Amino acid sequence: MAIIHKATLSPSKLELIAGYLPSQPWFIQDGAPELIGAYRFDDPAGEVGLETHVVAAGERIYQVPLSYRGYELAGAQEWLIGTMDHSVLGKRWVYDACADPVYVKALATAILTGQEEAALIVDGEPEPRPSTVNVKGSGTLDGGVPALSASAPVSGTGVTIIDAGGVRLKVARVLEVATELHSELTLSGKWAGLENPVELAAIIPA
């Protein structure tokens, strides 16, 4: 489960995303981003927030995975999106999560084991809050995932590739909502107004 605090953020997540997108090779500058929804994975250690945002800009829909940390991630300055002040947790370092080993492990686990998004537990609310994006991995692996090693993500037109030692991951940045899923090991997602699931990520041959 993912613990969410009722807090004030400065700058907001969407403000950080709006400043980050124009520098990415897969972003077409045809409009300010608007949030469609988001989903979270759980960090078993409870230290790193893992939240992926689905945003619309112009006629395109983008996927932006973020990781939130209470300290800097060593060797990841290139993927630092910015910092924000969290009224409960204090200063948070916000990274492109494709460069964060905690996110890479969580994503691979979800795909290989058929995991869904984390339940959202909000301070002061007795019941979990529903996610605005629902995801599910296609795998059925019962055991643990292969040992992974951190490596720099490589982004191109529409996708980011992460070579993580035991697996090779493809993260869709530009979401093709009108195409069918073709990969065997995928993370698919749906949100309000979307008729069929869309491929968000996949494990691909090395």
Side-chain angles (χ1 to χ4, degrees), residues 118-132:
L120 305 179
I121 306 298
V122 183
D123 281 348
E125 296 183 7
E127 300 294 331
R129 180 180 293 183
S131 178
T132 51

Side-chain angles (χ1 to χ4, degrees), residues 7-151:
T8 301
L9 305 178
S10 180
S12 69
K13 298 171 186 176
L14 193 56
E15 287 172 333
L16 284 174
I17 291 171
Y20 160 77
L21 286 176
S23 65
Q24 303 311 302
W26 37 264
F27 181 68
I28 306 298
Q29 299 190 43
D30 57 0
E34 298 179 4
L35 182 64
I36 293 175
Y39 63 94
R40 285 182 177 253
F41 290 137
D42 179 47
D43 170 19
E47 293 186 356
V48 182
L50 303 172
E51 185 175 32
T52 298
H53 298 263
V54 176
V55 300
E59 298 182 353
R60 293 172 177 82
I61 298 176
Y62 299 93
Q63 179 176 216
V64 186
L66 302 179
S67 66
Y68 312 122
R69 289 174 167 266
Y71 51 88
E72 294 183 69
L73 176 60
Q77 181 63 31
E78 180 180 350
W79 293 279
L80 178 66
I81 293 175
T83 60
M84 64 183 179
D85 292 322
H86 190 291
S87 61
V88 175
L89 300 176
K91 186 175 181 179
R92 306 291 282 172
W93 280 260
V94 182
Y95 291 91
D96 179 336
C98 290
D100 194 314
V102 176
Y103 168 79
V104 173
K105 176 77 170 181
L107 176 60
T109 300
I111 293 174
L112 289 169
T113 66
Q115 192 178 100
E116 299 180 350
E117 74 277 1
L120 305 179
I121 306 298
V122 183
D123 281 348
E125 296 183 7
E127 300 294 331
R129 180 180 293 183
S131 178
T132 51
V133 175
N134 299 116
V135 303
K136 182 172 176 55
S138 63
T140 58
L141 181 66
D142 291 330
V145 302
L148 304 179
S149 58
S151 64

